[in-house]
Structure formats: structure tokens, C-alpha cells
Amino acid sequence: LAACSESSSYETAEAITTADVTEEAAMDIEPPPPPPAPPADAAAEEGGASETSSLPDIPAAAPKIAYVYSYGFRVAREDIAPLQERHADMCIKLGPLTCQVRSLEQNGAEDDYGYGRLELSVAADRAREFGRELVAAAESEGGDQVSSSIEGEDLSKQIVDTEARLRSREVLRDRLMEVLQTRKGSVQELVEAERGVAQVNEEIDQARSWLQEMRGRVAYSRITVNYQSEGAGPGGFFEPIRKAIGSIGPVAGNVI
């Protein structure tokens, strides 16, 4: 017992001595200065920021807009076809993932005004830049830009509604498939479930096609290019005279 008492007393004394030394060493070291208090305005701003950060974030989805660009050029009648082919080649060089030629048409008789039309689908992020390239190419061929327009259609609501309808139909299909797999119910109920699955699958396919079509319109902008000639063909002035001379014989015969 004496030995235990001496040991514990020694340990206690050693702990006290160590604590005293630590306190004295700490007293000799000057404590670091306290950080400066923020001004009242900053404290108020921090309070407002903390209150604002505690609010839930509102998801802001970017609008899904399908753009349609239209350009009109006036060029010489004989330059319509070459310019139209040049514009189509510019689109093809970009690759099918960036630009596709939708349609190309030309009309106009020899003695009539020339007219052409070119429709393209261009990736939305390249549409404006490609439109400027079309204008530069037309001006290099001596053509003049006579019209231009940009139209946008917001498809955000239609896409969201279609996605929601698609999800609800998929849930309904899964429930009907569960009924068919478990074979719970009468024969009539199972037959009705099979018919319901077929109808729901048809609605799902239709909703997916709508959704894909709308997303495609957003991803690829439509560009329409119209070409018109500066004047009629060389036979425009003499054609009526030629027709009148040709009809003199039949008219004279009818009079006689």
C-alpha cells in the first residue's frame, strides 16, 4: 500500500509539474491577435447571403427553341444554278452530322424570270455562321442579298409535356406487364391487360417519335435560300411578237 501511495503521489506530482511548466511556457508566448471584426455592412451582407444560400435552388432549364433562317438573293439569270450548286457543296463539305441538303429546285422558262430554292438543315450552333458564309459566297458571284429573316419557335413546353406523358405511359405499361406475368385475375382481365399493353406501347412509340422530331428541330436549324433573277430571259421581248406572227395564218383562215 505504501508503494502504491508513493507511486500515485509521484505521478500526481509529475502531472502537476508538467502542467505548471506548460502553463508557464504558454504564458511566455504572446497569443495571436484576434481577427478584426467585420464591418456592419459586411455582417449584414453575410447574413443575407446565408439566408439566400439556405433557400432551395430553382432549376432554370434553357429554352428549347427551333430556329428557321431565310435568305433571299438576286443574281443574274444564268448564275442561279451555279450559285445554288455552290451553296449545296458548301453544306455537303461540312459533313452529314453538321449540314444536310433537304431540297433543291429550279424553274423558269427561257423567256421567263429565273427562280431557285434551296433548303438545308444545319446544326444549331453553326447556323448563324453558315448563313454569313452563304451571303459571302453570293456576293462573290455578283449577287445581292434582298431579304433575310430569323424565326424561332419555343418547344420547351411541348417537349416537357411529351416527356411527362411518356413516363406515365411507361409506368402504366410496367403495371400491366406485371399483371400478365403474375397471372393474377380472371381470363377477361388478362385479355384486357394484353389489349392495354398493345395500346400503351403504341402511345409510347408515338410519343417517342414526337419527342425525337422536336429535339431534332431544336438541334438542327432550318435554312431556306431563295434565288431570283434580275431580269427575264433573252426571248422575253420577241416571244409575244413571234406568237402573234405565228397566229396570223389561223386567224386569216378563220376570217375567210
Side-chain angles (χ1 to χ4, degrees):
L1 292 174
C4 292
S5 301
E6 290 176 0
S7 176
S8 57
S9 302
Y10 176 77
E11 292 176 358
T12 305
E14 184 179 2
I16 294 173
T17 306
T18 306
D20 294 338
V21 172
T22 306
E23 283 186 3
E24 291 178 0
M27 291 176 63
D28 293 339
I29 300 173
E30 295 182 0
D41 296 340
E45 290 180 359
E46 289 181 359
S50 61
E51 293 178 359
T52 305
S53 61
S54 62
L55 297 176
D57 296 333
I58 300 177
K64 299 175 176 58
I65 302 178
Y67 287 99
V68 178
Y69 299 84
S70 178
Y71 299 92
F73 300 104
R74 181 183 290 114
V75 295
R77 192 177 187 280
E78 62 275 7
D79 294 337
I80 291 180
L83 179 59
Q84 198 174 24
E85 293 293 337
R86 180 178 177 182
H87 285 168
D89 292 339
M90 292 170 57
C91 175
I92 295 174
K93 287 181 181 179
L94 295 178
L97 297 180
T98 305
C99 184
Q100 305 98 24
V101 178
R102 298 171 59 97
S103 66
L104 186 151
E105 60 176 331
Q106 302 173 9
N107 56 23
E110 183 180 356
D111 58 343
D112 197 1
Y113 286 87
Y115 175 78
R117 183 182 180 89
L118 177 65
E119 292 187 0
L120 309 171
S121 292
V122 186
D125 57 346
R126 290 290 309 276
R128 291 292 301 275
E129 180 182 357
F130 187 72
R132 289 190 287 267
E133 294 176 0
L134 294 177
V135 174
E139 291 178 350
S140 65
E141 296 291 338
D144 297 327
Q145 182 179 358
V146 295
S147 64
S148 64
S149 65
I150 301 177
E151 296 180 0
E153 181 181 359
D154 192 354
L155 301 177
S156 304
K157 184 178 184 302
Q158 299 180 27
I159 292 177
V160 171
D161 293 345
T162 305
E163 290 176 346
R165 179 180 177 84
L166 181 60
R167 288 192 298 267
S168 65
R169 292 304 174 186
E170 288 177 347
V171 172
L172 177 59
R173 180 194 58 185
D174 295 340
R175 291 179 179 177
L176 293 175
M177 291 298 297
E178 184 179 357
V179 172
L180 293 176
Q181 292 174 357
T182 56
R183 297 292 181 180
K184 292 182 180 180
S186 61
V187 176
Q188 182 178 0
E189 291 176 350
L190 294 176
V191 172
E192 292 295 333
E194 290 181 355
R195 294 177 180 174
V197 169
Q199 182 178 359
V200 170
N201 283 333
E202 183 179 355
E203 294 178 358
I204 289 175
D205 293 340
Q206 187 178 17
R208 285 177 178 173
S209 63
W210 288 346
L211 193 60
Q212 185 177 2
E213 191 268 341
M214 287 186 290
R215 287 175 176 172
R217 291 176 58 189
V218 174
Y220 287 88
S221 299
R222 183 175 176 181
I223 296 181
T224 302
V225 186
N226 295 312
Y227 309 86
Q228 59 183 11
S229 62
E230 298 175 347
F237 177 77
F238 297 101
E239 184 64 18
I241 300 176
R242 185 182 63 81
K243 291 180 179 179
I245 295 175
S247 65
I248 290 178
V251 171
N254 290 330
V255 170
I256 294 175

